[in-house]
Amino acid sequence: MVDSFAAMTNSSPVYESLAMSVRRLIDATIRTEVDHDVIAAATAQIDAVTADLSTALMPGAFGERAVEDGQGIASGNVVVGARNPTAPPLIVNRENDGSVWTEFVLGAAYEGPSGHVHGGVSAMVLDHILGATAHQPGRPAYTGTLTVRYHRKTPLSRPLRARAWVERVEGVKTFAAGEIGDADGPMVSAHGVFIHPRK
């Protein structure tokens, strides 16, 4: 049985739709080859929309909101945040044995080497996925160390799968391992130590 972590990132559909539109805008901004006058007109429109959205901003970061509005604190997260247009966003699924997995595609916004995912983005995804093995509701775990190994280039715009599992637990420390790969095997793998802060 698979238990989705999606509930952790609950977000209002109207905000999710906005984030999805901005994700498409980011991709189009990177890849567009329209004439300069079209770009100038689009820039003016985007600036006007940004001004409208800026008339009522929450102070600080999303997860620091003082008012609870039914949205998960992870809605602004850079990896899984449904309201964060820079997030893919990933949906992390947990198996009964404590392992986790997610399937996703990374587009133009995540490019490092030409046509391939930036290594730092791969490390960020693995940091989150490995951390999810240690995270428990009401009992967060934080990264102590993360060691990443790059086996081969990770292509953009292709289906990818990340998975992670617990190797052992020692007190407040969870030792986890995982990888990003495809049918041909791992592209990036990692080992990490995740710590539950003492109360």
Side-chain angles (χ1 to χ4, degrees):
M1 178 180 176
V2 175
D3 176 28
S4 175
F5 279 159
M8 291 171 48
T9 60
N10 285 344
S11 184
S12 168
V14 68
Y15 291 115
E16 286 187 39
S17 295
L18 173 62
M20 289 172 63
S21 291
V22 176
R23 285 185 195 107
R24 291 192 295 271
L25 175 61
I26 291 169
D27 184 78
T29 299
I30 294 168
R31 301 194 297 124
T32 189
E33 293 186 323
V34 299
D35 293 338
H36 289 183
D37 58 340
V38 177
I39 292 174
T43 300
Q45 291 176 327
I46 292 166
D47 288 345
V49 170
T50 301
D52 289 342
L53 294 175
S54 298
T55 58
L57 297 175
M58 67 181 70
F62 192 94
E64 296 174 344
R65 291 166 302 128
V67 178
E68 190 57 46
D69 59 5
Q71 298 179 72
I73 61 170
S75 293
N77 184 280
V78 71
V79 180
V80 297
R83 280 189 63 170
N84 187 338
T86 62
L90 303 187
I91 297 175
V92 182
N93 303 281
R94 173 176 284 193
E95 299 287 355
N96 291 332
D97 63 2
S99 64
V100 299
W101 60 272
T102 184
E103 294 177 338
F104 57 102
V105 174
L106 296 174
Y110 306 98
E111 186 170 40
S114 181
H116 296 85
V117 177
H118 192 290
V121 173
S122 297
M124 178 179 70
V125 168
L126 285 167
D127 179 42
H128 192 93
I129 297 300
L130 269 67
T133 67
H135 177 86
Q136 302 296 328
R139 190 170 181 242
Y142 299 95
T143 309
T145 61
L146 184 72
T147 303
V148 181
R149 180 180 177 190
Y150 298 90
H151 304 274
R152 56 193 171 100
K153 291 180 181 177
T154 304
L156 292 172
S157 303
R158 289 236 323 255
L160 300 170
R161 181 180 175 93
R163 62 190 190 98
W165 56 92
V166 174
E167 293 190 316
R168 67 185 189 280
V169 176
E170 295 179 3
V172 298
K173 296 180 181 179
T174 298
F175 294 77
E179 63 186 30
I180 297 172
D182 59 11
D184 295 326
M187 298 166 181
V188 188
S189 61
H191 287 82
V193 181
F194 297 85
I195 301 169
H196 293 285
R198 297 183 188 278
K199 295 183 179 180

